[in-house]
Amino acid sequence: FEQITDRGTYNHSYNGKLGVDYYLSNKTTMGLVYSGFNNKGGGYSLGNIDIFNAQHALINKTVAVNRNIDTWKNNSLNFNIRHQLDSTGREITFDADYLSYNGNTDIYLNNAYQNNLGQTIAKTDSLLGRLPQVIDIYSAKIDYVHPLKNNAKLEAGIKTSFVNTDANAVYDTISNGVVMRDYNRSNHFVYRENINAAYVNYNKALNKKWNLQLGLRAEQTLAKGDQKTTNVQFNRNYIQVFPTAYIQYAANEKNSFVLNYGKRIRRPDYQSLNPFVEFLDRYTYEQGNPYLKPQFSHNIELSHTYKGFLTTTLNYTKTTDMIQQVIMQDDSKNETFIKQDNIATQQQFGLSVN
């Protein structure tokens, strides 16, 4: 296969944000913020696929025309309260958020088949697709700050979030002018996720030279995926702990050092979990992976700053279940497709001078 595709895209985006704060007293403030966007776009591509034999002699070719129209809307609402408990710096904050995303992609794919002389050898086939997706996110959190004696500070908080996604991809094929539902490509996917988290941070200036900060965050994840078209489900329930540590040492007026460590998580985005199929042409497409797992990384970093302007940093990161885009083949159908997968463990060493 030798495939060359020229593609053009367009996009119009409209964004808005409106907020208001109300001061109940000199210690308590309430806020309400609305934001949203409306994105409309699309694309057009023309693909020429030449198919050769083992001796690289042209056998036949396919001309693929692909059009798509995309719409993506968002509405977000945040309510927040901040209350100062006393003059020492003790305060408590509360946030509640609701976000909704509503998107749709309409796809039209037309494939024309020719021999090596450019003559039609088979009837043109067409594929129509409608890929709607709705995402609703609810979250709430409480954070507390408590100054302690001897230049120390304690911070703690809890958070919960709920995510509901519903995506129903419907594909139809057109053959001899007759529209027929393509059940092999259509897919209805529903995903539910609940994350509960709690954290605590402790910060203390030990003396004029040493500063210490320690943190710990625990997360519980409950997730359920349901491919209603194929009646395939999966459930996940796991708890992860994420420690952090930060140590700063000011050796003198010219030299200071920082050593820090942290464990992080990168969750798959909802588009990558969605098992929709989006075609480039008859032989090439992109597909989501509902079985993607989060990737975890451990990062340790040592930096030195000279005279406040020259910083040299050494870092090391180890990432497990790394999420990466991979190219795969379905030999039985002569198809190539791209998807995200957990493919490897990665170790990275770095040196930077700023």
Side-chain angles (χ1 to χ4, degrees):
F1 287 83
E2 185 175 284
Q3 298 166 275
I4 299 176
T5 301
D6 292 319
R7 180 171 177 81
T9 61
Y10 68 92
N11 182 67
H12 300 282
S13 180
Y14 305 91
N15 305 274
K17 184 176 182 179
L18 179 66
V20 59
D21 287 328
Y22 181 71
Y23 296 87
L24 292 172
S25 67
N26 59 354
K27 292 185 177 181
T28 306
T29 307
M30 290 195 311
L32 190 66
V33 181
Y34 166 81
S35 62
F37 62 75
N38 188 337
N39 291 348
K40 295 182 179 180
Y44 172 88
S45 68
L46 177 63
N48 290 281
I49 302 99
D50 294 333
I51 302 174
F52 302 86
N53 62 14
Q55 289 73 40
H56 208 266
L58 182 64
I59 303 173
N60 54 56
K61 57 174 58 182
T62 300
V63 178
V65 176
N66 191 338
R67 297 185 182 93
N68 65 283
I69 300 174
D70 302 309
T71 59
W72 197 247
K73 299 178 181 179
N74 161 255
N75 291 285
S76 303
L77 189 65
N78 167 265
F79 172 72
N80 59 82
I81 298 176
R82 176 174 176 263
H83 178 64
Q84 293 177 295
L85 297 171
D86 54 33
S87 60
T88 65
R90 287 197 308 137
E91 70 173 37
I92 187 168
T93 58
F94 169 78
D95 281 86
D97 290 271
Y98 168 68
L99 300 89
S100 70
Y101 296 90
N102 195 318
N104 181 69
T105 299
D106 289 319
I107 295 175
Y108 171 77
L109 175 63
N110 187 83
N111 297 289
Y113 305 100
Q114 304 170 353
N115 61 17
N116 58 347
L117 301 177
Q119 300 167 332
T120 300
I121 58 174
K123 290 183 178 181
T124 298
D125 64 50
S126 299
L127 185 68
L128 303 177
R130 183 172 177 82
L131 286 65
Q133 184 172 9
V134 177
I135 302 174
D136 291 307
I137 303 173
Y138 309 83
S139 70
K141 67 174 183 175
I142 298 176
D143 297 289
Y144 175 67
V145 178
H146 188 107
L148 301 171
K149 296 179 179 180
N150 301 318
N151 296 319
K153 183 170 68 174
L154 184 68
E155 299 174 303
I158 57 175
K159 180 179 180 179
T160 185
S161 66
F162 297 86
V163 179
N164 301 319
T165 74
D166 193 321
N168 189 11
V170 177
Y171 278 103
D172 295 316
T173 58
I174 302 177
S175 179
N176 296 322
V178 179
V179 179
M180 296 178 294
R181 181 59 42 85
D182 191 331
Y183 292 100
N184 291 325
R185 295 186 173 105
S186 300
N187 195 350
H188 187 189
F189 179 63
V190 176
Y191 179 74
R192 303 284 186 265
E193 181 183 82
N194 168 223
I195 300 174
N196 302 299
Y199 78 92
V200 60
N201 286 329
Y202 176 75
N203 187 305
K204 180 175 175 57
L206 301 177
N207 50 48
K208 292 183 179 181
K209 291 182 176 292
W210 290 91
N211 189 69
L212 173 69
Q213 181 174 314
L214 300 174
L216 188 65
R217 177 181 177 89
E219 288 189 0
Q220 178 196 34
T221 301
L222 305 167
K224 180 180 181 180
D226 184 3
Q227 297 196 61
K228 293 184 176 295
T229 306
T230 57
N231 198 29
V232 175
Q233 296 91 24
F234 67 85
N235 290 277
R236 294 194 182 126
N237 184 349
Y238 58 90
I239 296 176
Q240 290 286 338
V241 177
F242 302 92
T244 57
Y246 173 95
I247 301 174
Q248 183 180 37
Y249 172 61
N252 48 51
E253 293 183 356
K254 295 182 179 180
N255 297 279
S256 64
F257 298 86
V258 172
L259 177 66
N260 66 71
Y261 161 80
K263 180 183 177 182
R264 299 183 179 92
I265 183 174
R266 177 195 165 194
R267 302 180 188 276
D269 60 67
Y270 303 121
Q271 289 290 92
S272 298
L273 291 170
N274 189 336
F276 279 5
V277 175
E278 292 193 37
F279 286 89
L280 181 67
D281 53 53
R282 162 66 180 80
Y283 311 98
T284 316
Y285 60 89
E286 183 174 357
Q287 185 172 23
N289 180 5
Y291 304 105
L292 267 180
K293 298 181 293 182
Q295 73 175 33
F296 297 93
S297 61
H298 297 267
N299 182 75
I300 188 168
E301 188 175 87
L302 174 64
S303 64
H304 166 251
T305 300
Y306 177 70
K307 287 188 175 181
F309 82 95
L310 181 65
T311 301
T312 304
T313 304
L314 291 168
N315 68 76
Y316 167 74
T317 302
K318 181 177 181 180
T319 304
T320 57
D321 287 327
M322 185 177 67
I323 298 174
Q324 183 67 39
Q325 190 178 74
V326 296
I327 300 176
M328 306 186 75
Q329 291 185 165
D330 186 337
D331 294 334
S332 64
K333 298 180 180 179
N334 286 336
E335 293 177 342
T336 302
F337 62 96
I338 296 172
K339 71 173 186 176
Q340 302 274 357
D341 210 347
N342 301 101
I343 64 167
T345 296
Q346 174 182 271
Q347 295 189 79
Q348 176 179 301
F349 301 86
L351 168 65
S352 67
V353 180
N354 298 315

